[in-house]
Amino acid sequence: MIEIKGLTKDYGRIRAVDDLHLRIEQGEIFGLLGPNGAGKTTTVRMLTMLARPTAGEAYIAGCEVQRDLARVRQEIGVVPQHMNLDQELTARENLELHGRLYKMPAAERRKRVEELLFFVDLQEREGELVSRFSGGMKRRLMIARALMHRPRVLFLDEPTVGLDPQTRRRMWDLVRQMNRDGVTVLLTTHYIEEAEALCHRVGIMDRGRLIALGSPVELKERVGRFAVESLNGGQTTHTLFGTREEALAFAGRLDDGVVIRETSLEDVFVQLTGRRVGG
């Protein structure tokens, strides 16, 4: 559904994305994981025609992004990281406006608005100005707006940033439901638990390069399934092992204060880069 070949983006002397090659299959929830500045948002901006690549090309549903703009625009929906709803319109009016921009027939437009207000649980607030909505309500409305013209691919750029844990999990449910309905999802995130909870596959980016690719389970097994945390000179160290038995044997040789746990994608990132995702 999405094919990326050598995508590169330079801003002056800074290379934000460096020779990215990637294929995302139809029906996947694919996550780009990495710290701020890793190149995730720049990649999405190129795929959604908001930034022109310095080099390389990308295809969405067989359409080349830089040459088939009109066709690609029909295939994609975009939920940007920053709020860009019309604050002085109601929820219904925001959806109605989006449908008009995509030249949806009136009857189809009205039906789709009703479906999406129900889908994101805003049907009882449809007549309120968006300026009065909470952050979570605005995020849900942005998802509804992005789905208005029935795109086959949805881009979510840090979709839950700034949301409380309960609202974040509600957003996860929406993403899963969209995917069950056949939408291919590409999301960027620096939340480890979000990538593990949602994504069929994850690409880990660091300093503009894709440094690891696979399912969360595959990536964790690559570095070791179990981690032993222990204090060493006043600092917590993490040692990774392939089996629980190996982890237990190692922990048994250490002093008190040892924790054995399953590894996370954070451990994968640290093992590959020597830094934490939030670092």
Side-chain angles (χ1 to χ4, degrees), residues 6 13 37 42 52 56 93 102 128 132 135 137 166 169-170 210 214 244 246 258:
R13 296 182 179 180
T42 301
R52 180 174 289 276
E93 288 168 343
Y102 277 82
E128 292 187 33
R132 301 174 184 171
M137 292 168 65
Q166 182 177 1
R169 280 160 178 75
R170 190 172 186 181
L210 187 69
R244 184 182 294 275
E246 292 173 327
V258 175

Side-chain angles (χ1 to χ4, degrees), residues 1-4 24 30 32 40-41 43-50 58-61 65 72-73 75-81 139 142-143 146-147 151-159 175 178 183-188:
M1 182 57 77
I2 301 175
E3 189 169 6
I4 299 170
I24 299 170
F30 186 92
L32 283 177
K40 308 184 303 297
T41 294
T43 298
V44 170
R45 286 179 58 82
M46 288 189 286
L47 292 174
T48 57
M49 301 170 292
L50 295 176
Y59 298 84
I60 296 177
V65 169
V72 171
R73 192 171 289 114
E75 297 286 357
I76 67 172
V78 183
V79 180
Q81 182 174 345
R139 287 284 177 190
M142 289 172 70
I143 287 179
L147 293 172
R152 292 198 287 166
V153 180
L154 185 68
F155 292 92
L156 301 172
D157 189 13
E158 301 283 358
V175 173
M178 289 185 293
V183 178
T184 301
V185 178
L186 188 155
L187 67 89
T188 73

Side-chain angles (χ1 to χ4, degrees), residues 223-234:
V223 300
R225 293 179 55 204
F226 297 93
V228 177
E229 294 183 357
S230 58
L231 281 176
N232 184 7

Side-chain angles (χ1 to χ4, degrees), residues 48-264:
T48 57
M49 301 170 292
L50 295 176
R52 180 174 289 276
T54 304
E57 55 190 10
Y59 298 84
I60 296 177
C63 306
E64 208 284 319
V65 169
Q66 294 301 313
R67 291 195 296 267
D68 300 325
L69 274 67
R71 292 172 62 191
V72 171
R73 192 171 289 114
Q74 289 293 329
E75 297 286 357
I76 67 172
V78 183
V79 180
Q81 182 174 345
H82 301 291
M83 299 291 180
N84 64 351
L85 296 165
D86 193 319
Q87 303 285 316
E88 299 308 313
L89 295 181
T90 66
R92 175 177 286 276
E93 288 168 343
N94 268 275
L95 298 183
E96 176 77 16
L97 176 61
H98 188 83
R100 288 176 180 270
L101 290 173
Y102 277 82
K103 297 180 172 57
M104 297 175 67
E108 179 187 353
R109 196 170 63 236
R110 287 191 295 269
K111 180 181 179 183
R112 187 62 172 160
V113 168
E114 297 295 339
E115 291 173 351
L116 290 171
L117 286 170
F118 180 80
F119 176 67
V120 297
D121 195 23
L122 289 174
Q123 67 272 26
E124 295 182 2
R125 309 289 294 272
E126 64 175 78
E128 292 187 33
L129 294 179
V130 169
S131 58
R132 301 174 184 171
F133 282 8
S134 68
M137 292 168 65
K138 289 177 180 178
R139 287 284 177 190
R140 288 175 4 234
L141 183 59
M142 289 172 70
I143 287 179
R145 183 187 61 182
L147 293 172
M148 185 70 191
H149 60 289
R150 302 183 187 278
R152 292 198 287 166
V153 180
L154 185 68
F155 292 92
L156 301 172
D157 189 13
E158 301 283 358
T160 64
V161 66
L163 301 183
D164 62 82
Q166 182 177 1
T167 305
R168 184 176 299 158
R169 280 160 178 75
R170 190 172 186 181
M171 293 289 290
W172 294 356
D173 289 339
L174 285 179
V175 173
R176 293 187 184 103
Q177 183 58 56
M178 289 185 293
N179 184 245
R180 284 194 292 268
D181 291 340
V183 178
T184 301
V185 178
L186 188 155
L187 67 89
T188 73
T189 185
H190 62 268
Y191 293 129
I192 299 297
E193 72 277 13
E194 187 159 89
E196 293 196 31
L198 288 178
C199 299
H200 300 128
R201 286 194 304 148
V202 171
I204 298 179
M205 293 191 72
D206 184 43
R207 296 178 174 138
R209 297 189 66 87
L210 187 69
I211 61 173
L213 177 66
S215 72
V217 171
E218 289 169 347
L219 292 174
K220 288 184 286 186
E221 287 184 343
R222 192 177 303 175
V223 300
R225 293 179 55 204
F226 297 93
V228 177
E229 294 183 357
S230 58
L231 281 176
N232 184 7
Q235 292 188 334
T236 301
T237 61
H238 304 77
T239 309
L240 308 183
F241 297 92
T243 67
R244 184 182 294 275
E245 290 72 23
E246 292 173 327
L248 285 169
F250 178 79
R253 298 193 295 270
L254 301 176
D255 296 330
D256 293 338
V258 175
V259 174
I260 299 175
R261 59 169 175 78
E262 293 188 359
T263 53
S264 69

